[in-house]
């Protein structure tokens, strides 16, 4: 149920409604426009309080959002969400940050070497997995908390925000403590306890689309995080599984205009996992920008043949540098900036 307050409602009037919602055991979700504030009161049985709120002087009217995802929808919040990160980096505005780094954090020295390349090449966010969701239990599983500490230290040294994945509820506080963005991987998109745990902590969350997740399911997973009061959620398209085996996944570029019409949340694109072939990553990265990406995530490695995971799709430093330079030129034509 969406409660629209009277035009130019005062803080006091707003608080009266908020307190009533809290008293009934619901979380008030507030969206402030220039003159109009709307408050979402969402949950089973919220409807039964419709008359109660409708009769309040502070309330203009009550409405419903038809879509199953409420807080993620453009009906709840018309304007694009802009997520603020340290060092003045924003995701969701005119600028398109480049998220780059290794698939996995392998050692402090390699991470430091890569961070230098990321920064010098024009990247603005450093990625690196410490907990790795590997298909085989016999391959490198990540450095765990030690890796997160390396990421934290290197991020501080290069003054660059960081992102890393949490695979379980227990890992959420650790990733949240050491990193600036918590990543939820494709394989965990419907791990609802994990999504709720991300919603209860304060750091922004990057939610990767599952390889067999519909757009509706993807937005409903985002809703799980939003419903807990964390509104800094970005979606990430990273390729879905189709009948095609010549590429690692099929990057669903179709989804981007569709999702952007449905939601105000920023959309990040990951061409590295999407195609999985180093040689073709730059081409797809350019397509990502053209289709409306709010950020682009790239895996890079100075010696991909030695990489402990995803070497085949990791860009070499020179490829990365040239790609970011090309993206800058394309961004200009699209009225965006890198
Ligand atoms: C990753 O970003 O390294 C990763 C494992 O991604 P995904 O969850 O999209 O497979
Ligand atoms: Mn990877």
């Amino acid at each position: 149920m969406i409660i629209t307050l009277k035009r130019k409602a005062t803080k006091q009037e707003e608080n009266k409604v908020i307190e009533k919602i809290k008293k009934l055991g619901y979380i008030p979700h507030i969206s402030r426009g220039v003159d109009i504030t709307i408050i979402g009161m969402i949950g089973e049985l919220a409807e039964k309080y419709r008359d109660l709120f409708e009769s309040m002087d502070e309330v203009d009217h009550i409405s419903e959002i038809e879509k199953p995802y409420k807080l993620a929808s453009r009906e709840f919040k018309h304007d694009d969400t802009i997520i603020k990160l340290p060092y003045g980096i924003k995701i969701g505005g005119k600028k398109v940050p480049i998220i780059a780094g290794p698939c996995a954090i392998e050692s402090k020295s390699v991470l430091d070497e890569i961070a230098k390349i990321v920064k010098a090449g024009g990247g603005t966010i450093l990625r690196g997995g410490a907990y790795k969701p590997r298909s085989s239990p016999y391959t490198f599983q990540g450095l765990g908390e030690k890796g997160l500490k390396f990421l934290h230290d290197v991020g501080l040294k290069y003054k660059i925000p960081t992102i890393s994945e949490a695979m379980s509820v227990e890992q959420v506080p650790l990733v949240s403590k050491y990193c600036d963005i918590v990543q939820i991987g494709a394989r965990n998109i419907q791990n609802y306890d994990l999504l709720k745990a991300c919603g209860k902590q304060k750091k922004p969350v990057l939610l990767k689309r599952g390889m067999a997740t519909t757009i509706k399911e993807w937005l409903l997973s985002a809703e799980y995080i939003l419903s807990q009061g964390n509104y800094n959620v970005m979606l990430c398209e990273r390729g879905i599984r189709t009948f095609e085996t010549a590429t690692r996944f099929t990057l669903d570029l179709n989804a981007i205009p569709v999702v952007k019409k449905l939601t105000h949340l920023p959309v990040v694109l990951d061409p590295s996992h999407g195609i999985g072939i180093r040689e073709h990553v730059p081409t797809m990265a350019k397509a990502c920008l053209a289709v409306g990406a709010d950020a682009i995530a790239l895996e890079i490695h100075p010696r991909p043949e030695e990489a402990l995971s995803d070497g085949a799709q990791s860009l070499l430093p020179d490829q990365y540098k040239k790609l970011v330079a090309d993206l800058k030129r394309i961004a200009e034509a699209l009225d965006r900036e890198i």
Side-chain angles (χ1 to χ4, degrees):
M1 178 165 86
I2 301 299
I3 302 164
T4 303
L5 301 187
K6 291 229 160 94
R7 278 179 90 79
K8 301 197 166 138
T10 63
K11 199 91 205 138
Q12 226 174 0
E13 290 170 319
E14 189 182 304
N15 281 341
K16 212 169 149 190
V17 180
I18 289 172
E19 285 314 312
K20 191 160 256 177
I21 294 173
K22 284 189 183 161
K23 231 174 165 171
L24 293 167
Y26 290 83
I27 300 175
H29 300 284
I30 304 153
S31 168
R32 289 190 185 89
V34 185
D35 287 337
I36 292 172
T37 296
I38 69 171
I39 306 178
M41 174 172 159
I42 296 156
E44 246 188 343
L45 307 179
E47 256 301 284
K48 89 177 174 203
Y49 300 108
R50 189 182 181 115
D51 291 350
L52 187 71
F53 286 94
E54 216 151 35
S55 65
M56 288 179 82
D57 286 343
E58 296 76 11
V59 172
D60 186 78
H61 67 274
I62 309 284
S63 55
E64 285 303 317
I65 292 174
E66 293 302 322
K67 307 252 171 34
Y69 42 87
K70 313 284 179 194
L71 304 171
S73 73
R74 286 252 185 222
E75 284 98 315
F76 178 68
K77 183 170 181 282
H78 177 266
D79 296 335
D80 289 349
T81 286
I82 296 179
I83 297 177
K84 292 189 181 120
L85 297 169
Y87 310 113
I89 307 294
K90 290 180 190 157
I91 299 186
K94 185 171 176 172
K95 276 204 168 192
V96 183
I98 303 295
I99 303 169
C103 178
I105 299 159
E106 299 168 358
S107 69
K108 194 163 184 181
S109 62
V110 174
L111 186 65
D112 188 293
E113 185 185 356
I114 297 176
K116 208 169 177 174
I117 297 163
V118 169
K119 198 89 203 244
T124 38
I125 298 167
L126 179 64
R127 62 147 289 146
Y131 300 104
K132 292 307 304 175
R134 306 304 301 279
S135 302
S136 164
Y138 306 118
T139 52
F140 180 59
Q141 303 285 303
L143 296 179
E145 189 172 356
K146 193 166 82 177
L148 291 177
K149 284 184 183 160
F150 293 161
L151 186 59
H152 177 260
D153 293 351
V154 171
L156 276 183
K157 178 175 170 189
Y158 290 94
K159 296 190 170 44
I160 186 167
T162 57
I163 172 169
S164 200
E165 176 170 351
M167 292 203 301
S168 67
V169 172
E170 303 79 64
Q171 290 166 5
V172 171
L174 286 171
V175 176
S176 177
K177 174 177 159 195
Y178 292 110
C179 304
D180 300 302
I181 306 172
V182 180
Q183 176 172 317
I184 296 300
R187 292 153 190 85
N188 269 315
I189 185 143
Q190 287 178 321
N191 182 339
Y192 300 118
D193 283 345
L194 181 58
L195 299 177
K196 282 194 229 168
C198 285
K200 286 188 178 123
Q201 58 81 52
K202 298 263 178 301
K203 295 283 175 73
V205 179
L206 179 140
L207 178 64
K208 287 197 147 192
R209 183 182 184 184
M211 48 195 90
T213 306
T214 64
I215 289 173
K216 185 170 149 190
E217 288 164 342
W218 190 15
L219 291 169
L220 277 168
S221 288
E223 189 79 12
Y224 262 93
I225 305 168
L226 300 167
S227 69
Q228 302 302 308
N230 185 347
Y231 306 118
N232 289 317
V233 177
M234 58 201 107
L235 303 168
C236 177
E237 163 60 37
R238 47 77 73 206
I240 53 172
R241 188 148 274 171
T242 65
F243 54 82
E244 186 53 72
T245 54
T247 53
R248 188 176 180 194
F249 294 99
T250 297
L251 192 64
D252 184 12
L253 297 181
N254 280 344
I256 310 313
V258 175
V259 160
K260 282 183 151 259
K261 184 149 186 205
L262 296 172
T263 185
H264 51 87
L265 300 172
V267 182
V268 179
L269 273 98
D270 173 353
S272 300
H273 292 88
I275 193 158
I277 305 164
R278 177 182 315 121
E279 183 188 352
H280 301 310
V281 169
T283 307
M284 293 312 292
K286 291 176 216 170
C288 291
L289 183 59
V291 86
D294 293 307
I296 297 174
L298 301 167
E299 286 189 343
I300 67 169
H301 202 288
R303 293 166 298 281
E305 66 289 352
E306 290 174 16
L308 296 179
S309 69
D310 286 351
Q313 66 195 33
S314 298
L315 293 175
L316 288 156
D318 282 350
Q319 286 178 305
Y320 161 73
K321 244 168 97 179
K322 180 176 184 318
L323 171 59
V324 179
D326 287 348
L327 289 172
K328 282 190 177 170
R329 289 191 296 139
I330 298 170
E332 223 178 286
L334 296 167
D335 203 25
R336 303 290 297 263
E337 271 173 37
I338 299 288

